[in-house]
Amino acid sequence: MKIYTKIILIILIGISGLLAVDTGGYGGAYLRMPTDARMAGLGNSAGAILNDLAGVYENPANVSLLKSKQFSSSFQFLSLDRKHSMIGFGTNMPPTAGFSIMWVHAGVDEIEGRNYSNNFTEMYSTSQNAILTSFGVQLSEKISVGATAKILWDRLPGAKGSGFGMDIGVTAIPIENLIIGFIAKDLGGGIKWDTGDNYVYQIQKQDDFPALYNVNVAYTIIDRILITGAFKGSETISPTYHFGTEIEVIPHFVIRGGVDDKMPIIGFGTEYNAWKNIFTSIDYAFLLGKYGEGVSHIFTWKFRF
């Protein structure tokens, strides 16, 4: 492999750091970003949201509280030609359990390779992927528990990585309309990189994901106003605070506003009956960005049946 390709690989090995400047470029940044427009619109504080795959992604204990089967797909347009998407399915498993599976993808395409003379060589791309499988069970009417297993694989030009991680969650409903979620995320998570036979000196590097310990709350007022909040702490990265509000302004249409660790976010959503017992919703969130990274947009399309 030519020297300029090696230089490009060294630059791209830190591509995930572009997704989270505030966390110091630690691995797994794309998994700490909101994957859903509703989650984003609530300031990335969805760990106590029930009957929604957005809440299941953040807190696996919520999967046992799904009231129906759900299919969700999201796409986020980011600056610097980055992309971030999710597709998932979840269902309740009567009488007291639930199951979901999701695929989260992040990456950059069409990166131009250049040599020392600034001549074009070839196009490069990067990708980060995770398959998340969640299972949860209700221990009682007020307590649910769950776990998520994550299979991880990343790709860079001339290098590949794989790994595993786990989330554990508890959901409590102490009083009517108040939900509290306790989550430990990315326990033992990380990516082990291997350049294979692409270099004379093979590179093997372990990128450990920082474990997060989150407390989420959600409170509903007069069935039309939802207030959420989250504290996300870690022994590795700085703690963050998240807040959000969702208001049903007219039947089947809501507006949202939140703060995702000092980043303001606004959004809206609508839901309607598509056919018989099939309901569909479309959600949108506008993220102002932080530290000059630029604005972004998230679109989510869901079906409940």
Side-chain angles (χ1 to χ4, degrees), residues 96-131:
T96 59
F99 168 83
S100 71
I101 184 168
M102 304 181 193
W103 172 38
V104 181
H105 169 80
V108 184
D109 293 327
E110 298 184 355
I111 303 172
E112 290 190 2
R114 300 277 176 171
N115 60 20
Y116 286 126
S117 301
N118 199 33
N119 296 319
F120 172 79
T121 56
E122 59 181 295
M123 303 298 290
Y124 296 94
S125 64
T126 72
S127 68
Q128 297 173 285
N129 300 273
I131 296 292

Side-chain angles (χ1 to χ4, degrees), residues 16 23-29 31-32 152 154 162-165 185-193 205-212 234 236-237:
S16 62
T23 60
Y26 285 95
L31 295 175
R32 297 188 289 274
L152 313 167
D154 292 6
S162 61
F164 180 82
K185 298 183 71 67
D186 291 322
L187 300 178
I191 289 288
K192 184 175 181 180
W193 290 97
K205 181 179 182 296
Q206 177 77 27
D207 283 340
D208 295 324
F209 294 0
L212 299 180
S234 173
T236 307
I237 60 180

Side-chain angles (χ1 to χ4, degrees), residues 29-30 106 162 182 220 233 235 263-266 275 278:
Y30 73 107
S162 61
F182 305 93
T220 304
E235 297 179 356
M263 177 178 63
I265 303 175
I266 58 174
W275 185 66
I278 300 176

Side-chain angles (χ1 to χ4, degrees), residues 53-305:
L53 282 179
V56 173
Y57 175 82
E58 192 70 9
N59 182 358
N62 293 333
V63 72
S64 64
L65 299 170
L66 292 176
K67 296 180 180 179
S68 61
K69 297 179 177 64
Q70 296 188 16
F71 173 82
S72 179
S73 60
S74 297
F75 192 87
Q76 182 174 6
F77 297 91
L78 293 157
S79 59
L80 304 177
D81 294 325
R82 297 168 297 163
K83 59 184 179 181
H84 190 226
S85 58
M86 183 276 291
I87 186 169
F89 171 80
T91 182
N92 56 1
M93 300 173 65
T96 59
F99 168 83
S100 71
I101 184 168
M102 304 181 193
W103 172 38
V104 181
H105 169 80
V108 184
D109 293 327
E110 298 184 355
I111 303 172
E112 290 190 2
R114 300 277 176 171
N115 60 20
Y116 286 126
S117 301
N118 199 33
N119 296 319
F120 172 79
T121 56
E122 59 181 295
M123 303 298 290
Y124 296 94
S125 64
T126 72
S127 68
Q128 297 173 285
N129 300 273
I131 296 292
L132 291 73
T133 303
S134 302
F135 178 80
V137 63
Q138 291 178 261
L139 301 181
S140 69
E141 292 184 356
K142 295 184 178 294
I143 299 291
S144 300
V145 298
T148 296
K150 303 178 181 180
I151 299 175
L152 313 167
W153 73 97
D154 292 6
R155 294 292 183 269
L156 295 176
K160 60 183 179 180
S162 61
F164 180 82
M166 176 169 286
D167 300 345
I168 298 174
V170 178
T171 297
I173 310 176
I175 60 174
E176 187 177 4
N177 295 332
L178 175 63
I179 316 297
I180 304 176
F182 305 93
I183 310 105
K185 298 183 71 67
D186 291 322
L187 300 178
I191 289 288
K192 184 175 181 180
W193 290 97
D194 190 350
T195 60
D197 298 326
N198 293 308
Y199 298 95
V200 175
Y201 301 101
Q202 295 184 10
I203 300 173
Q204 291 190 344
K205 181 179 182 296
Q206 177 77 27
D207 283 340
D208 295 324
F209 294 0
L212 299 180
Y213 304 97
N214 307 345
V215 179
N216 287 249
V217 296
Y219 186 72
T220 304
I221 304 174
I222 62 173
D223 295 328
R224 296 183 60 185
I225 301 175
L226 174 66
I227 300 173
T228 66
F231 168 79
K232 303 183 180 184
S234 173
E235 297 179 356
T236 307
I237 60 180
S238 300
T240 59
Y241 300 87
H242 311 258
F243 306 94
T245 301
E246 178 181 275
I247 303 174
E248 184 180 19
V249 291
I250 59 175
H252 310 297
F253 182 82
V254 300
I255 59 174
R256 304 184 182 101
V259 178
D260 180 359
D261 188 29
K262 302 178 183 180
M263 177 178 63
I265 303 175
I266 58 174
F268 63 84
T270 181
E271 183 178 43
Y272 57 92
N273 185 201
W275 185 66
K276 292 186 178 181
N277 65 336
I278 300 176
F279 293 82
T280 186
S281 63
I282 298 175
D283 297 288
Y284 166 77
F286 175 76
L287 293 73
L288 293 178
K290 44 191 168 184
Y291 308 119
E293 71 173 2
V295 302
S296 63
H297 310 266
I298 303 181
F299 296 88
T300 300
W301 193 9
K302 298 177 183 177
F303 289 90
R304 309 174 193 267
F305 50 95

